Amino acid sequence: MRRVPAGVPLAAPDGWFDRMIVLPGKLPLAILLLMFVITFVFIRISVRMIRAGVSWWPGNITPGGKHIHHMVFGVVFMIAAGFGVFSPIGEHSPWPELFAGLFGVGTALVLDEFALILDLKDVYWSEQGRVSVDAVVIGIAVCALMLLGATPLGITDNFRGWQVVVGVVLLHGSLALVTMAKGKAWTGLFALFIPIVGLIGAIRLARPQSPWARWRYGAGSAKARKAEHREADEQWFDRLRDGIYNAVAGRPSQ
């Protein structure tokens, strides 16, 4: 963050970037998001080049025949950035920006192999590996929302009193949890930042394979049939998502 010496009058913001990013103290977050996206794009290009067997592209890192996944480097970068930002130099520019960039690089490397962590096996190019792409997209969305000024669970500096904070957290959190239990992960994510989205998601019908449907919709009930019918009508979204994922991350192995 830019620091102005005491006694020096604040100059007028130079432009949109100063006004919206630098002065509110969002520069580290902006750098984190930028490095996150750049790293994800680079690593996906790299693994696709390796998968295609491009001879001039550096291959996997395999010292002694042991494949070192890039999430290992991501964990190291995230730990280094975390230690650094809490160190004595962590509050003095340019270190917050540098640590934020390092954390963005590490986060992208870890989330790109999130499915491997989840399943504890190499499912990178399988259908299960698509969970990693979901995790990356969610990470980018959350960071972008925070950069735009949204705060998780609607908590802001304007709230006074722990009762208000607890009430807001419980309301937003409950709506988001119900929405996610209904199988709407994306809607639930945005519900953490936008309460009306959570209200809509909590009211709408659950997806047929979701935990909510298993708990609340009896087999053959009117709600179960309606949920299955609506799911069939929304298959176009899954096909669109799969097409985008194939273009960005590569097609899964059969």
Side-chain angles (χ1 to χ4, degrees):
M1 185 188 304
R2 178 187 302 176
R3 299 182 182 276
V4 180
V8 177
L10 290 174
D14 298 330
W16 177 90
F17 188 79
D18 273 351
R19 193 168 57 250
M20 302 301 295
I21 302 298
V22 177
L23 292 181
K26 297 179 182 178
L27 184 57
L29 185 61
I31 294 174
L32 189 156
L33 177 59
L34 177 64
M35 295 307 299
F36 187 114
V37 173
I38 290 175
T39 303
F40 172 67
V41 172
F42 170 78
I43 202 63
R44 277 289 166 169
I45 292 174
S46 177
V47 296
R48 293 182 71 173
M49 297 283 272
I50 295 172
R51 188 188 193 193
V54 178
S55 59
W56 53 269
W57 188 262
N60 293 317
I61 300 176
T62 55
K66 183 179 182 64
H67 179 195
I68 305 298
H69 290 276
H70 49 264
M71 65 181 173
V72 175
F73 299 98
V75 170
V76 173
F77 292 159
M78 292 174 69
I79 293 174
F83 284 172
V85 79
F86 289 111
S87 70
I89 63 172
E91 295 183 355
H92 305 286
S93 186
W95 292 108
E97 293 80 8
L98 293 175
F99 291 137
L102 184 63
F103 191 85
V105 172
T107 304
L109 294 176
V110 170
L111 291 185
D112 186 57
E113 294 194 312
F114 179 76
L116 281 73
I117 302 172
L118 188 64
D119 291 337
L120 293 180
K121 59 182 178 180
D122 195 346
V123 294
Y124 193 86
W125 289 116
S126 69
E127 191 65 35
Q128 299 98 306
R130 286 302 173 88
V131 174
S132 296
V133 186
D134 284 331
V136 168
V137 174
I138 289 174
I140 292 173
V142 168
C143 193
L145 285 170
M146 294 177 66
L147 193 60
L148 292 173
T151 55
L153 300 176
I155 300 174
T156 69
D157 293 336
N158 296 325
F159 292 148
R160 294 293 182 269
W162 67 267
Q163 297 94 335
V164 176
V165 174
V166 170
V168 170
V169 169
L170 288 177
L171 175 62
H172 286 207
S174 298
L175 293 175
L177 285 175
V178 171
T179 302
M180 291 180 182
K182 288 189 171 185
K184 304 169 185 178
W186 279 103
T187 308
L189 166 67
F190 286 105
L192 293 173
F193 296 88
I194 308 171
I196 189 63
V197 174
L199 180 61
I200 294 172
I203 293 174
R204 291 194 67 202
L205 208 62
R207 302 189 72 171
Q209 303 302 322
S210 67
W212 187 274
R214 293 196 298 269
W215 298 333
R216 307 284 297 179
Y217 303 166
S221 66
K223 282 190 174 182
R225 292 194 301 270
K226 187 176 180 180
E228 291 172 358
H229 180 71
R230 179 173 292 179
E231 183 77 3
D233 290 340
E234 295 178 354
Q235 288 298 313
W236 65 270
F237 177 79
D238 292 333
R239 292 193 295 270
L240 175 62
R241 183 197 63 181
D242 289 342
I244 296 173
Y245 281 13
N246 288 340
V248 174
R251 189 178 297 275
S253 301
Q254 297 299 322

